[in-house]
Amino acid sequence: MSVVSYLDCGCAILSDGGREYCPTCAAKITARSFEDKLELFHSRMKGGKKLGSLKVKVYLSGRLNSNWQEMVISQVPNLEYLNPKKHQLEAPNQYAVWDFFHIERADILFGYMEKDNPSGYGLAGEVGYAKGLGKKIILVDEKSKIDTQFKEYFAIIREMSDSTFESLKDGIAFLKKFALD
C-alpha cells in the first residue's frame, strides 16, 4: 500500500493495487481528474455532509510585477490559489522548482498575458507543462490583439489552452463558474 497523492481535505489517497481510497473520509477515489473532484465535491454537498474541502486549486501564471493576481483572488475568493508572486524566490533554479511543483498540485492554470508583458516565456513554459500534465488551462491574452507578430508566435499557446479570452474581466467571469458558494 502506498500514498499516491493527497486530497484537498488533507487526506492521503492510498493505493492497494488498483483501488484508490481516502482512509479518513472513507471516500473511494476511482479517478483524480478535475471533473471527478468537482463531481465528488458536489455529491458530498448534496448529501448534506461536508467530509473535507475539495476546493478547486488554481495556479496563477503570468507577469509577477503587477497586481493582477490580487484582482483575480479578490473577485473569485472561493477557490484555492497557488500564487508564484508569493514565493519571493529570485534564483531561476529555485523558482522553477516551486512553480512546477505547484502546477502539478493545481486543477486549473489561469494564465494572463498582459498587453505590456515583454516576453511571456515563463507563461508559455508553464502552459506547456500544465498541458502535458492534463491540467485545464484558462488563458487571457491581451497582447495578441495589439501585436500581430506576437500573435503569430503565441498561437501555439492559445491552441494549448482550453478556454481563451481577450480581457482579464472575461477570464475572471469564466473562472467564477468553478467557484462554489
Side-chain angles (χ1 to χ4, degrees):
M1 188 165 315
S2 62
V3 174
V4 293
S5 65
Y6 294 89
L7 290 173
D8 295 325
C9 59
C11 300
I13 297 176
L14 301 178
S15 176
D16 63 359
R19 292 182 308 143
E20 295 177 346
Y21 61 94
C22 169
T24 305
C25 295
K28 183 177 176 191
I29 308 299
T30 56
R32 293 180 311 280
S33 70
F34 172 73
E35 291 84 1
D36 292 329
K37 274 187 170 182
L38 277 180
E39 186 177 324
L40 180 60
F41 181 82
H42 286 295
S43 68
R44 286 180 175 181
M45 295 309 290
K46 285 179 187 171
K49 302 175 194 170
K50 187 169 182 185
L51 299 173
S53 172
L54 284 178
K55 278 189 177 179
V56 174
K57 293 180 185 177
V58 179
Y59 180 87
L60 300 174
S61 178
R63 192 171 177 188
L64 298 179
N65 59 355
S66 67
N67 292 321
W68 71 270
Q69 295 92 344
E70 289 77 15
M71 185 183 309
V72 171
I73 293 167
S74 68
Q75 291 186 32
V76 192
N78 294 342
L79 300 175
E80 181 178 338
Y81 291 95
L82 305 166
N83 186 357
K85 189 172 182 175
K86 301 291 183 187
H87 63 52
Q88 300 178 341
L89 298 170
E90 294 181 20
N93 66 335
Q94 293 176 0
Y95 65 71
V97 169
W98 190 99
D99 292 347
F100 291 145
F101 174 80
H102 286 87
I103 290 169
E104 290 172 12
R105 292 184 58 226
D107 300 303
I108 297 172
L109 181 138
F110 186 92
Y112 181 36
M113 173 52 71
E114 293 177 87
K115 61 185 169 192
D116 56 351
N117 187 326
S119 73
Y121 293 133
L123 177 118
E126 291 171 351
V127 166
Y129 188 67
K131 183 67 172 182
L133 293 171
K135 304 298 180 174
K136 298 296 181 199
I137 301 167
I138 300 170
L139 178 68
V140 175
D141 176 13
E142 293 180 342
K143 190 168 184 170
S144 289
K145 65 184 170 187
I146 61 169
D147 184 338
T148 55
Q149 185 177 14
F150 176 83
K151 181 179 182 176
E152 181 181 326
Y153 293 113
F154 201 66
I156 192 169
I157 304 304
R158 292 176 64 97
E159 288 299 317
M160 283 188 221
S161 303
D162 297 295
S163 298
T164 305
F165 301 92
E166 292 185 350
S167 75
L168 184 58
K169 178 184 173 187
D170 291 342
I172 290 172
F174 183 68
L175 186 62
K176 286 179 181 179
K177 305 292 183 191
F178 298 93
L180 299 171
D181 298 305

